[in-house]
């Protein structure tokens, strides 16, 4: 293999003069790595510098966090090599990969002769270390990928699904080439697809052919049917992501292609694409996810271009995630944000939130528009009082039964995993002092849990633990959205800085809030409970805001936590503020 084109395009050595590149080429050897195979592990001595000639690697930190992917022409192992320290991450091949490697002593001798190479390597290392995790995840998702689309069972028109996915990717600005048996045999000869795994020469031809495609930084979409197992296995071994297509109404079952997928034990993400003619179509989503080993799933109405467009955006790091905070009646400002998004034709691809934000993001995930949200909110919080089933305050002020029944009326028997768009909400586990993320299960139950203000409503008991309002530990769960790595994030924050005051009372006066005369401060028990909870979460608001691409601190100062009758005013405030920010955001991020 001619190493010069790889070395001259790699950022570490792109600025070197031809004599230096020629010398460096003599130090290189090849290393092949099969998909899933480990290159090096945390704590292992750094012996080589690697450059990806073909394929894709993934770096995973000791705590399991994905540090990022290492793609064509990028280096691996350079930090440990130059610092003399053990590797700080596990690095494995996502798919069959071809690497150039240079031994440590050879490289150190080389940089003594050509010090400009050391300067460039240092620059690349500094850039990597400065890159934050959110940007690393987006870069990984937006870099050209190879995706294999396979059917999980008979009866699926995989060619049609692949064609529609290609159209959606291209419409989002992603260059795509579709590869199938016909294209491979047209390029490599009749019957080549059957020989790709058994014949080393045919496999090398394929690798060279794929290398030509990847040089153009084009996404490759492999179409693999059940009629050619050799080609299907080749597709799975060459991809960075597997898209398994099933009919949502079909019960989970095994197949030859799923057997191949399990046998290969790939480390690439597996996404489940569920063909669902109508949103109400039932299906065993959890069963299918377990059957194919999927980390996430998407619904596709077969003839709905909008569904394909949303999945395409999410697969390429361009899916818009909306995160809504808690804040009582101030959360009505979220309705105004949704209205602004609608008017600017900005599609939301996934949503999540805490407390009141969990409620409105759930409505959005169900398919309700801003006008419908307003009427549901008016019926729930203004026209009726579902928070007045008071009990002897042994555990809480209210029983909460009336409000949970109202949530059941609004959301019915919907399950989170069946919603039209990906959704999550968070609660606080008081028993374990941690945040819990709910992305499966009965929607009304988990939304209600996320809204259970401690002391006001009783905790939800789950597996012996006590769960309450998510805002206690995470008022704005942008961290949860960021970990999904689907694209830019808009965060709407309706919390306020401070808020509870007793003006006119100098004190110290321990009974100022207890007196009933005209000089007493107007602060209720619920204000104190909710205000104390908000202060707990306020300490991390700057960090949570930094994870968003657009952070909207809604203008809700001066609005009480339970000012339900100000619904229209609060929603209008949110709308006007969002419109001011979204116009520029749409230009720069979408």
């Amino acid at each position: 293999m001619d190493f010069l084109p790889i070395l001259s395009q790699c950022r570490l050595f792109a600025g070197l003069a031809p004599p230096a590149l020629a010398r460096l080429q003599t130090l290189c050897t090849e290393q092949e790595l099969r998909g899933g195979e480990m290159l090096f592990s945390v704590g292992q001595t750094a012996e080589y510098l690697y450059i990806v000639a073909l394929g894709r690697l993934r770096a995973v930190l000791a705590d399991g966090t994905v540090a990022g992917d290492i793609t064509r022409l990028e280096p691996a192992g350079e930090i440990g090599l130059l610092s003399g320290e053990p590797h700080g991450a596990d690095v494995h091949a996502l798919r069959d990969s071809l690497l150039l490697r240079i031994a440590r002593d050879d490289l150190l001798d080389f940089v003594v002769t050509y010090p400009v190479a050391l300067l460039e390597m240092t620059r690349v290392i500094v850039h990597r270390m400065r890159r934050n995790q959110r940007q690393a995840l987006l870069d990984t998702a937006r870099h050209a990928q190879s995706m294999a689309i396979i059917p999980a069972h008979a009866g699926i028109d995989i060619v049609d699904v692949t064609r529609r996915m290609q159209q959606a990717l291209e419409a989002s600005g992603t260059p795509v080439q579709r590869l199938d048996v016909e294209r491979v045999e047209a390029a490599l000869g009749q019957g080549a697809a059957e020989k790709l795994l058994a014949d080393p020469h045919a496999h090398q031809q394929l690798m060279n052919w794929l290398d030509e495609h990847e040089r153009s930084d084009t996404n490759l979409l492999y179409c693999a049917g059940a009629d050619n197992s050799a080609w299907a296995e080749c597709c799975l071994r060459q991809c960075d992501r597997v898209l398994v297509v099933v009919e949502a109404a079909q019960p989970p079952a095994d197949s030859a292609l799923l057997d191949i997928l399990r046998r290969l034990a790939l480390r690439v993400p597996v996404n489940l694409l569920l063909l669902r003619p109508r949103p109400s179509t039932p299906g065993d989503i959890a069963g299918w996810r377990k059957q194919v080993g999927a980390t996430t799933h998407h619904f596709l109405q077969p003839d709905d271009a909008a569904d394909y467009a949303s999945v395409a955006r999410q697969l390429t790091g361009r899916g818009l995630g909306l995160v809504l905070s808690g804040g009582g009646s101030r959360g009505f400002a979220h309705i105004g944000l949704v209205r602004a998004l609608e008017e600017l034709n900005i599609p939301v691809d996934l949503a999540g939130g805490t407390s009141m934000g969990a409620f409105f993001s759930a409505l959005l995930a169900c398919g309700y528009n801003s006008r419908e949200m307003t009427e549901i909110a008016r019926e729930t919080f203004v026209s009726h009082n579902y928070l007045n089933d008071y009990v002897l305050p042994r555990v809480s002020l209210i029983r909460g039964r009336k409000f949970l029944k109202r949530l059941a009326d609004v959301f019915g028997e919907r399950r989170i995993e069946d919603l039209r768009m990906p959704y999550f909400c968070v609660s606080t586990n008081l028993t374990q002092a941690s945040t819990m993320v709910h992305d499966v299960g009965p929607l009304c139950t988990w939304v209600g849990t996320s809204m259970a203000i401690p002391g006001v409503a009783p905790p939800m008991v789950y597996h012996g633990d006590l769960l309450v309002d998510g805002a206690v530990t995470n008022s704005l769960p942008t961290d949860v959205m960021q970990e999904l790595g689907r694209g830019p994030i808009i965060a709407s924050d309706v919390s306020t800085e401070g808020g509870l005051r007793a003006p006119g009372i100098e004190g110290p006066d321990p009974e100022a809030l207890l007196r009933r005369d005209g000089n007493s401060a107007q602060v209720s028990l619920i204000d104190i409970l909710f205000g104390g909870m908000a202060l707990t979460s306020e300490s991390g608001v700057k960090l949570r805001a930094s994870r968003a691409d657009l952070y909207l601190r809604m203008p809700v100062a001066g609005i009480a936590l339970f000012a339900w009758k100000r619904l229209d005013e609060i929603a209008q405030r949110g709308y006007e503020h969002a419109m001011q920010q979204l116009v520029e955001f749409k230009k720069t991020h979408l």
Side-chain angles (χ1 to χ4, degrees), residues 289 297 416-417 423-425 437-441 446 484:
R289 284 183 57 154
H297 67 274
I416 294 176
E417 62 268 31
Y423 166 82
F424 69 85
C425 62
V437 179
H438 307 287
D439 55 8
V440 296
W446 294 127
L484 296 176

Side-chain angles (χ1 to χ4, degrees), residues 484-508:
L484 296 176
R486 308 281 181 86
I489 298 171
I490 295 178
S492 176
D493 191 356
V494 295
S495 62
T496 59
E497 298 176 355
L500 292 181
R501 292 182 54 80
I505 299 177
E506 296 299 324

